[in-house]
Amino acid sequence: MTSSPSLSPLNRSFFARGPRRVARELLGKVLVRNRGNLHLVARIVEVEAYLGENDPASHAAPGLTPRNAVMFGPPGFAYVYFIYGAHYCLNVSCQREGLAGAVLFRALEPLAGLQEMARARDVVLHAPHDLRKLTSGPGRLAQAFGITRALDNGSDLTLPSSSLWIGDDGFPRGTIQVTPRIGISKAADQRLRYLLKGNPFVSHP
DNA sequence: ATATCGATTATCT
DNA sequence: GATAATCGATATG
């Protein structure tokens, strides 16, 4: 038996809280893509909270639509959207059914399956800093993990048996830094971006 | 039926 | 630092 650190899935109640709290707590956890025997694993190092219908920057602001329905559903499910004609972005729903909320995954630190991520991203790994090209940015990490709306939107992220899920490996998350969210025009002053201070894989250093 | 625009990224200067 | 690329969701007529 090879030793492997225990990796436990985050349960429903973890996500049944406000987006700020969930965002904060998600830092240091890991995102896992199950691909048969192979696993893609990466640590969550940067996220943003989207507060729901009362948050002008949230896709939930216009109220329930087919696109944003997952955010109005139960917590712990993947909300995947397509943006700028090119990129998918991954969120996890939080709060509770009927009360929208979500956390956007903005950057990950790749831990396992690096070559598979590189192939998905169409990059060649030379220097160590090339790893930043894999999962530093919401569109990049989605591409590295093969995340699409057709494939992953609405999937349950609390089940380790499912294709995509979130786990806790006991990593001590360290110091959290809070800044305004990136790339938005509305409510741009609010500090709802959370990152692990000093982590080289955050998207906008 | 058509127009607008975006929770981004790559590729320039 | 600035900008083009690109398309689905949404709003409007």
Side-chain angles (χ1 to χ4, degrees):
Chain A
M1 296 270 288
T2 62
S3 72
S4 89
S6 75
L7 187 58
S8 52
L10 302 183
N11 58 30
R12 190 80 53 215
S13 61
F14 179 97
F15 299 100
R17 300 179 287 178
R20 304 172 206 252
R21 184 72 191 281
V22 174
R24 219 170 237 286
E25 300 267 344
L26 274 175
L27 290 175
K29 304 298 190 291
V30 298
L31 182 67
V32 184
R33 173 66 101 185
N34 290 341
R35 280 202 185 135
N37 14 350
L38 180 71
H39 287 47
L40 306 184
V41 185
R43 190 168 312 285
I44 301 165
V45 301
E46 177 188 346
V47 294
E48 283 176 358
Y50 286 86
L51 307 183
E53 285 187 274
N54 293 326
D55 177 0
S58 171
H59 291 170
L64 178 78
T65 69
R67 179 204 198 193
N68 65 23
V70 174
M71 274 198 286
F72 288 84
F77 289 79
Y79 166 51
V80 180
Y81 65 88
F82 185 61
I83 191 74
Y84 294 115
H87 312 287
Y88 291 98
C89 296
L90 172 69
N91 299 249
V92 59
S93 65
C94 53
Q95 226 142 226
R96 64 173 185 270
E97 185 151 16
L99 188 60
V103 174
L104 170 70
F105 291 74
R106 283 200 56 93
L108 310 173
E109 175 175 349
L111 298 177
L114 306 198
Q115 289 306 329
E116 286 71 20
M117 295 183 201
R119 191 178 38 168
R121 288 274 301 126
D122 205 18
V123 304
V124 183
L125 299 176
H126 295 111
H129 71 259
D130 286 342
L131 289 175
R132 284 184 35 80
K133 296 176 183 160
L134 298 182
T135 52
S136 292
R140 289 169 165 183
L141 72 89
Q143 187 178 17
F145 273 67
I147 291 166
T148 67
R149 184 166 166 94
L151 206 61
D152 300 295
N153 190 56
S155 70
D156 191 344
L157 299 181
T158 69
L159 307 172
S161 58
S162 84
S163 156
L164 192 65
W165 59 284
I166 304 169
D168 182 357
D169 66 352
F171 179 82
R173 78 170 58 80
T175 304
I176 295 174
Q177 195 171 345
V178 188
T179 80
R181 293 175 292 187
I182 290 183
I184 57 169
S185 52
K186 301 162 191 167
D189 54 318
Q190 292 196 57
R191 293 157 59 90
L192 293 169
R193 172 175 176 250
Y194 302 82
L195 55 101
L196 291 184
K197 188 174 182 181
N199 188 288
F201 290 91
V202 299
S203 69
H204 203 340

